[in-house]
Amino acid sequence: MNTGEILENFTRMISGMEVSVPEEGILAGPVRPIRHAMASSRFVNYGIGWDNAHFPLDYGLLMREGIPGIIRRASRPAENLSREAAEYRRLVADCWRLISGYIRRHADAAEELASSCPEDAARLERISRNCRSLTERPPESFEEGLQLFWFIWRLRAYYTSSIGRMDRHLYPLYARDVPDRISREEACGLLIELFGLLTAVHSGDTLMNLMVGGTDEEGRDSTNDLSLLIIEASIRAPGSEPHINIRLHENSPESLRDAAARMIADCRGQGVLYYDRNIIPDLVRRGIPVEYARSYANDGCTELTFDRHSAIWFWQMESMKTLELALFRGTENPAAPHSEYRKWAAWQPARLFESKLRFGFDSGDPCDCESFESFLQLFLRQFRYQIRCMLEEISREIIRNEAPDGPLTSPIAAGLVEKTLDTGTDPMRGGWEVRNYQLLSGSLPTTADCLYGIRRAVFDEQRCTMAELLEALQGNFEDDEPLRAWLKQLPKFGNDCDETDFLAAMLADEFCTCVEEYEDPSGVMILPGIYNIDFNMFASVLGASPDGRKAGDPICAHFSPTPGCAVSGPTAVIASASKAALHRGCASSPLYLSLPRAMGALDLQHIRTLIDICGEAGLPIVSLSVYNRELLEDARVHPEKHGDLIVRVWGFNARFVDLDANLQDHIIGRIL
């Protein structure tokens, strides 16, 4: 796709956008912007170039320059630029002019409505002034800043996109207004209105992650009053969007920690915690310049991206399926179910999942292993092989993305990249400072439980031979219920049991080492992460396993216990996770910890203590949630009574009643 085709598609897109003046509130712009069908896909929105929407744009640049400033910078004389760079920069300027014209249409529409609705003229004239001003200069008020954010965020992607560090990018406008021009309560109302619009766009796996707190590029605390107000507005807003994430470090103010505890206690799965001291040093060790590492945010889920400085590409590696391939000599368990799954929502179409692993590699005959150590080495051969195959696929993708004739980045995303505005460099080929490619592997704790089951059953206590175990797995334990029951009662990860915990820690180390030692031909330092968003899908194609789970039963999310297996309380789960060097998985290595909402048994101080304990234990990312088990179970039976019940799924929050039944079970099973 060349610049001419993109401009033609962009023109068609903008001309087909609805003009939407709200019947109440002051933020104009469409929740559903498409009036007619456009060529689109997940990554090539409307045919206007590449943007997977999983990373935040430089909204700080947007607030400083405004639309006129972006057009002006992209329109400067093309001195010393190649023809391709000059054409690309011209494309950016032309597309942003079209955006300006679209916003001006909202100003005209609001003005026209004001003349015919005298009882509502003041509000409509305010909308008109805001929209017209944004076409003439950068925003000068918090209200105008939110309006500009909403327009660009909504135009960016057919579906939705990540948000990033809003408390940093909009704080200068907020500080200019509050309390001299508007009250703090009025600013909160504006945020609640924006959050309502975001929820109206979509709810659930929406990529709408917003990060507050943390440090600036110089390492100074960047928490401000807007950080706290965003949390407050999210608690008060009724919907599930956006998904709030909180960065903490040694100098984070107590007010931020208190706000985080209040948000977690709100029982909606909000307030995922990121600990700077357990994240930033390893990003730097992996080659990320410290000023960019300090600017990290999260993408559409929990993976790290670098706010303003990078896009993101990631792949997932199935550790449990790898164990199955090791047990069955490069093939699946013949009884693997291949059940239909829904990615997360009950209303999504059911489909069959296809593994991305490389089948056919025989790492050895498990029945020939005379010790657990020899079997472990057999498994690790398969594990390393599959990691290598995934890394080689990433390398091929890097070459495709960065080739001179590779895909052009969307002009909306490119218009918020400083280097592109100045030099015409496509962000994907040098405009972004960080080349952010990641390989992720979750469910290592369930894999460790399986390895421990093999060790105890076959080698330590000789409950069965390896051949008998494989026969039981193929039969889904139908004729071997006593063996399954015995395997189920063995110690499991999440209970501060060294035997299982150190196996999980070893697997995490092995995975990170394989990724770190890989030498990409393009020189990219691929980041490892102990994380899997598709645990529900992975489970759908897994046969029975040596931890006693039956075919299709849940496996764990990320580096968390298998649902239903953690029975010793939250401190035991934290202790189990802390035995692994999760900081090495610096792309994203979260622990999900779900606490029961028992009357009188949980207070803010308890949550505050857990927040501090997790950071001191070396955990990089923790999703700490509080749920009422009885309420969730009732919602499965009577969904019509619980439409406002919101939970954390993986990198997002969603209404519990919208979830696929398997994910509902998974979330209830996480509760300790």
Side-chain angles (χ1 to χ4, degrees), residues 449 452-453 456-457 461 463-464 469 472-473 476-492 544-550 553 564-565:
D449 290 344
Y452 184 65
R456 289 285 298 273
E461 301 190 25
R463 288 264 176 168
C464 60
L469 176 61
L473 298 181
N476 200 27
F477 293 111
E478 294 298 334
D479 298 322
D480 297 278
E481 180 57 32
L483 175 61
R484 190 185 81 87
W486 185 82
L487 290 167
K488 288 287 286 185
Q489 60 81 38
L490 290 176
K492 299 291 192 290
S545 52
D547 58 345
R549 60 171 287 285
K550 300 191 79 171
D553 282 356
C565 290

Side-chain angles (χ1 to χ4, degrees), residues 114-257:
S115 65
S116 60
C117 302
E119 71 281 0
D120 201 18
R123 182 185 69 89
L124 292 167
E125 288 170 356
R126 181 176 163 192
I127 292 172
S128 180
R129 283 195 305 272
N130 287 344
C131 293
R132 200 170 307 283
S133 295
L134 293 177
T135 69
E136 298 169 352
R137 55 167 171 74
E140 293 183 348
S141 68
F142 184 57
E143 184 176 299
E144 288 182 355
L146 290 178
Q147 177 66 85
L148 181 57
F149 166 81
W150 170 242
F151 270 127
I152 300 307
W153 183 89
R154 183 64 287 204
L155 291 175
R156 176 188 180 187
Y158 174 79
Y159 175 52
T160 173
S161 63
S162 182
I163 295 171
R165 303 183 72 183
M166 178 178 279
D167 62 336
R168 291 208 63 199
H169 300 323
L170 271 78
Y171 181 68
L173 295 171
Y174 174 85
R176 185 183 302 178
D177 276 7
V178 179
D180 295 335
R181 296 182 182 178
I182 62 173
S183 69
R184 192 173 188 273
E185 180 62 24
E186 288 173 309
C188 187
L190 291 171
L191 285 170
I192 290 173
E193 181 181 347
L194 174 65
F195 293 173
L197 289 172
L198 293 173
T199 298
V201 170
H202 200 48
S203 180
D205 185 14
T206 62
L207 312 181
M208 296 185 211
N209 272 298
L210 190 161
M211 181 78 79
V212 301
T215 65
D216 62 16
E217 285 81 354
E218 286 72 42
R220 299 172 301 217
D221 176 55
S222 65
T223 308
N224 54 55
D225 191 52
L226 181 55
S227 313
L228 305 177
L229 193 64
I230 286 171
I231 294 174
E232 182 178 332
S234 180
I235 293 172
R236 291 168 57 178
S240 62
E241 309 301 325
H243 314 134
I244 307 300
N245 306 270
I246 302 169
R247 278 181 53 179
L248 298 173
H249 57 89
E250 292 86 341
N251 297 318
S252 293
E254 291 301 305
S255 57
L256 183 63
R257 298 174 188 273

Side-chain angles (χ1 to χ4, degrees), residues 5-22:
E5 291 173 316
I6 290 177
L7 180 58
E8 180 180 350
N9 288 336
F10 201 98
T11 303
R12 291 178 57 233
M13 180 190 84
I14 290 295
S15 66
M17 292 284 186
E18 300 282 3
V19 171
S20 177
V21 178

Side-chain angles (χ1 to χ4, degrees), residues 449-468:
D449 290 344
C450 291
L451 291 173
Y452 184 65
I454 292 170
R455 176 179 177 175
R456 289 285 298 273
V458 177
F459 298 105
D460 290 355
E461 301 190 25
Q462 299 179 349
R463 288 264 176 168
C464 60
T465 65
M466 182 65 76
E468 289 168 340

